[in-house]
Amino acid sequence: MCGIVAYTGCHEAYPILIKGLKRLEYRGYDSAGVALSQPEGIALYKCRGRVEDLDTLCSSKNCEAHTGIGHTRWATHGEPSTQNAHPHLSEDGKLALIHNGIVENYLVLKKELVSRGYHFQSDTDTEVLVHLIQDTLKNEQVSLPEAVKIALSSVVGTYALAILSADEPDQLILAKKGSPLLIGVGDNEYFIGSDGAPIVEYTKKVVYLEDGDVAVVSPNKKMVVMNINDNRKKRRYLQELEMNLDQLEKGGFEHYMLKEIFEQPKAIRDSMRGRLNVRKDVVSLGGIIEYETKMMNARRFIIVACGTSWHAGTVGEYLFESLVRIPVEVEYASECRYRNPLIYEDDVVIAISQSGETADTIAAVELAKQKGATVIGICNVVGSTLARATHAGSYTHAGPEIGVASTKAFTAQVTVLTLMALCLARRKGTISLSDYHQIINSLEDIPAKVEQVLKLNGQIAEFAKFFVNKTNAIYLGRGINYPVALEGALKLKEISYIHAEGYPSAEMKHGPIALIDEEMPVVVLATEQETYEKTVSNIQEVIARKGKIISIVTKGDKLVKEMSDYCIEIPETLELLTPLISCVPLQLLAYHVAVLRGCNVDKPRNLAKSVSVE
Ligand code: G6P
């Protein structure tokens, strides 16, 4: 949600900023801008639209500079427009500022600043920050870093900030609270990013700023970090960035989303590596070892997450309840926070997030900690806010996910949840040895089975043609495949803008059946054995109303296949593990429908990958 990049050093800043913005564009792509330190003062270029549009605009401008800041925006306050694009300038034009986050008390601050003669050029909450800092500089007669600290102490909300000053042209001031900010340390140069993507090409040595930090960097000088909470200088240690440049490229695929769908066998294998040892009969997750006893004895698991991660959590509910036999509640993180939930000290909260930066999920984690619960994280981005905020946790090893619609992160999350459930069930004794053997053996085979499903890509691309002109779709699933139906529907609506609803198959008759006519595609997950007959009846009910059936069945299935207009056969596995396979054709289906409809698959309208505002 908004991407920040900045550079100061001996190289040309503009190419570094623009490349960084392109890598961060998945965080928002409503407008983009840069501010550059030049001998005459700050040069500001910004426009509505993509980073590519900004690059075109800048091609006719003087962009020479060794220090600069850049921003790609996901609009919160104020429509996407050039006026509302960052950076924002102070009244005297001497400060330029970029921001990721939300200034919650901006109206109060704005009123005050307007009464003191400041003129606002935009409708954003961000612009108050730059005027506030200038006002503090003027009134308090302090240095810029001091002024930033003082100004931020009256700000309510979240921020990651980078500030450029015409008076200190090679200096950058950075500040963080609630939104991520990393400083890459090069050879007498600094690379700043909302995450590692714009930094990794130049250095892997990074400092993760902490909440309340205000940092000052200039080439050839040591970084200085202070914290507004206690006004002391802080020592922040260098860490190794766990990311590779080739993970950020498309690797021959037309879109990141397709690449990431095809990376799932690897993502699942990597998430199992070192954790699942079938030969030795062991499932073990190093990150939670110290908390295993606490987890085994939990009164209840509460899974908090948003979006696709919430769907993975709902698969987790089925896994944990059936294997560990402890009650599970799955909560939207945003709902959990504001309803004063009952969370006890012997509850274990599992927070799931690909990015580790989703504001609602982080807020739910903080709340759970306040209530004394143990909080376990499942997250993909190493060193992210979630990873640092939880008591313990397990990383998914899916590698960077760039496509806004989450795919490989989902299967990696489900993999880690499966391993966690198995590990706890074994220790708790809620699973028989034979079931345990059977599940871990089947789990090991999953990546190969996903590879088989990926071979159906061509067939699914053909089926997608049927959806092109549709306006609605229903997805049905039962048991552990119900969350997969939700996820399939989410994928379709996110990237193709076709309205889609996921439902438990048997619930169709309580409402959605009213929508069925010859125009309605109904995607049915029909792999569940226990409820197979019931699903067959549901399919009949759709056919009787002339709906069109697109089914996902187990290879060799005859009955449902014959009843379907389109049928996708997936390899057989244990029921509990089917989500890891059955989600894949639904991802491919959504992808091909979106491509056929000419949608921007990797950057769907209005969405952002990392939603760091509540
Ligand atoms: C956004 C993304 C989704 C993602 C959700 C949760 O809405 O577009 O793809 O599932 O945030 O993100 P997280 O990083 O917490 O998993």
Side-chain angles (χ1 to χ4, degrees):
M1 179 136 307
C2 295
I4 284 186
V5 59
Y7 173 77
T8 184
C10 58
H11 292 102
E12 275 301 319
Y14 179 76
I16 296 171
L17 298 180
I18 214 78
K19 202 185 250 190
L21 287 180
K22 284 184 180 157
R23 295 215 172 110
L24 283 179
E25 214 177 7
Y26 69 88
R27 300 177 70 91
Y29 30 83
D30 296 332
S31 58
V34 289
L36 303 161
S37 270
Q38 293 184 336
E40 312 72 43
I42 293 176
L44 175 75
Y45 307 122
K46 54 186 189 174
C47 63
R48 190 199 155 125
R50 303 273 151 106
V51 175
E52 227 171 76
D53 302 316
L54 174 69
D55 204 14
T56 310
L57 170 81
C58 290
S59 61
S60 58
K61 312 277 185 203
N62 171 14
C63 290
E64 272 176 43
H66 296 285
T67 305
I69 58 179
H71 188 270
T72 177
R73 179 170 184 250
W74 187 85
T76 57
H77 297 59
E79 59 169 12
S81 67
T82 300
Q83 209 180 11
N84 289 333
H86 301 210
H88 293 286
L89 286 182
S90 57
E91 192 85 19
D92 61 3
K94 285 190 164 188
L95 298 177
L97 175 146
I98 50 176
H99 170 221
N100 169 26
I102 286 187
V103 181
E104 287 172 15
N105 59 339
Y106 85 102
L107 282 175
V108 183
L109 295 172
K110 189 170 179 174
K111 207 167 153 199
E112 172 81 24
L113 287 160
V114 168
S115 74
R116 286 200 233 160
Y118 289 89
H119 299 91
F120 281 74
Q121 311 297 329
S122 76
D123 303 321
T124 64
D125 53 334
T126 299
E127 202 183 347
V128 297
L129 296 172
V130 74
H131 294 313
L132 191 64
I133 293 167
Q134 193 203 325
D135 192 56
T136 315
L137 259 181
K138 204 167 79 186
N139 295 332
E140 307 281 335
Q141 301 287 316
V142 287
S143 66
L144 180 58
E146 273 306 315
V148 172
K149 273 166 55 189
I150 296 168
L152 290 180
S153 61
S154 50
V155 168
V156 179
T158 56
Y159 50 78
L161 299 176
I163 303 157
L164 193 65
S165 162
D167 290 336
E168 298 275 353
D170 63 356
Q171 172 186 275
L172 291 170
I173 312 276
L174 312 156
K176 172 201 160 22
K177 186 182 158 215
S179 302
L181 201 58
L182 274 71
I183 304 176
V185 182
D187 208 4
N188 295 325
E189 56 188 345
Y190 294 96
F191 305 85
I192 287 83
S194 295
D195 63 34
I199 299 174
V200 64
E201 185 171 344
Y202 312 102
T203 178
K204 284 203 162 192
K205 287 189 282 179
V206 293
V207 166
Y208 291 88
L209 288 186
E210 294 187 11
D211 278 351
D213 281 355
V214 174
V216 185
V217 292
S218 333
N220 303 317
K221 286 196 192 146
K222 267 185 104 176
M223 171 190 322
V224 178
V225 183
M226 296 153 285
N227 195 281
I228 56 170
N229 298 325
D230 58 12
N231 269 321
R232 291 229 187 103
K233 280 197 180 168
K234 296 284 165 189
R235 182 171 289 191
R236 298 282 177 245
Y237 293 97
L238 279 183
Q239 299 189 34
E240 176 89 4
L241 191 61
E242 292 196 25
M243 187 184 268
N244 291 317
L245 196 56
D246 55 2
Q247 293 174 315
L248 301 175
E249 308 292 339
K250 279 194 209 146
F253 285 90
E254 206 181 326
H255 296 101
Y256 281 112
M257 183 182 177
L258 191 62
K259 173 184 174 239
E260 287 158 6
I261 292 173
F262 273 78
E263 279 174 346
Q264 289 179 108
K266 180 173 184 308
I268 298 170
R269 272 191 201 106
D270 287 349
S271 294
M272 295 196 296
R273 181 161 299 125
R275 295 166 169 176
L276 173 71
N277 188 330
V278 174
R279 212 166 33 81
K280 290 196 179 149
D281 218 8
V282 178
V283 177
S284 153
L285 289 147
I288 56 159
I289 273 180
E290 281 178 39
Y291 285 82
E292 261 178 35
T293 309
K294 194 130 202 176
M295 291 176 84
M296 267 164 49
N297 296 319
R299 167 207 291 246
R300 182 177 55 151
F301 288 105
I302 303 170
I303 298 180
V304 291
C306 302
T308 290
S309 298
W310 187 87
H311 294 153
T314 311
V315 175
E317 177 182 13
Y318 287 83
L319 288 163
F320 273 64
E321 289 204 343
S322 88
L323 297 174
V324 196
R325 306 304 294 153
I326 292 176
V328 180
E329 281 174 28
V330 192
E331 283 252 29
Y332 284 113
S334 54
E335 284 300 306
C336 177
R337 187 174 177 203
Y338 287 105
R339 59 175 194 82
N340 192 14
L342 292 171
I343 300 179
Y344 303 102
E345 286 184 6
D346 50 358
D347 284 330
V348 170
V349 171
I350 301 180
I352 308 176
S353 172
Q354 186 286 127
S355 61
E357 302 296 347
T358 302
D360 287 321
T361 309
I362 307 291
V365 164
E366 294 303 339
L367 177 77
K369 285 201 299 190
Q370 277 164 28
K371 303 233 175 204
T374 299
V375 186
I376 304 293
I378 296 180
C379 126
N380 197 36
V381 178
V382 176
S384 57
T385 306
L386 183 88
R388 285 176 289 136
T390 43
H391 293 117
S394 299
Y395 282 116
T396 46
H397 294 297
E401 193 181 60
I402 313 284
V404 166
S406 188
T407 52
K408 63 176 179 173
F410 174 79
T411 36
Q413 287 163 348
V414 173
T415 304
V416 168
L417 285 161
T418 311
L419 293 171
M420 244 180 215
L422 281 167
C423 160
L424 296 176
R426 186 77 196 104
R427 275 205 60 192
K428 201 170 159 69
T430 47
I431 188 169
S432 71
L433 206 53
S434 62
D435 284 353
Y436 179 74
H437 287 315
Q438 201 191 11
I439 299 178
I440 64 174
N441 276 293
S442 303
L443 192 54
E444 204 190 23
D445 293 340
I446 291 290
K449 291 186 175 173
V450 172
E451 268 154 17
Q452 289 175 40
V453 179
L454 293 171
K455 292 197 178 122
L456 305 176
N457 185 34
Q459 180 196 0
I460 296 169
E462 275 301 306
F463 291 180
K465 291 180 184 160
F466 170 70
F467 277 75
V468 173
N469 298 315
K470 299 286 179 267
T471 44
N472 292 291
I474 294 176
Y475 283 65
L476 302 176
R478 266 195 108 121
I480 200 161
N481 275 299
Y482 159 52
V484 179
L486 295 178
E487 176 59 9
L490 177 66
K491 288 288 87 82
L492 190 74
K493 69 183 130 188
E494 274 182 317
I495 59 168
S496 76
Y497 318 137
I498 295 175
H499 170 240
E501 293 297 335
Y503 258 87
S505 311
E507 275 292 302
M508 182 184 66
K509 56 187 172 291
H510 299 293
I513 198 164
L515 299 170
I516 292 174
D517 59 19
E518 60 276 11
E519 284 303 312
M520 179 65 86
V522 181
V523 180
V524 186
L525 290 140
T527 54
E528 300 278 307
Q529 284 316 301
E530 204 187 328
T531 51
Y532 184 79
E533 305 301 331
K534 310 258 185 253
T535 302
V536 169
S537 305
N538 297 144
I539 292 174
Q540 295 286 14
E541 288 153 17
V542 173
I543 293 171
R545 287 154 185 86
K546 299 195 167 55
K548 300 288 179 286
I549 296 290
I550 299 90
S551 62
I552 314 293
V553 301
T554 309
K555 207 173 183 121
D557 179 294
K558 289 210 170 62
L559 185 58
V560 171
K561 192 175 178 183
E562 271 167 21
M563 294 160 67
S564 306
D565 297 273
Y566 302 94
C567 179
I568 299 161
E569 292 186 67
I570 61 171
E572 188 172 8
T573 186
L574 297 175
E575 196 131 311
L576 272 183
L577 304 182
T578 45
L580 288 166
I581 303 181
S582 60
C583 68
V584 179
L586 303 189
Q587 297 165 344
L588 285 170
L589 182 65
Y591 170 79
H592 288 295
V593 175
V595 170
L596 287 172
R597 285 166 66 91
C599 302
N600 189 332
V601 173
D602 285 331
K603 293 175 191 132
R605 70 181 178 211
N606 305 338
L607 295 178
K609 179 108 196 113
S610 179
V611 184
S612 50
V613 294
E614 284 184 54

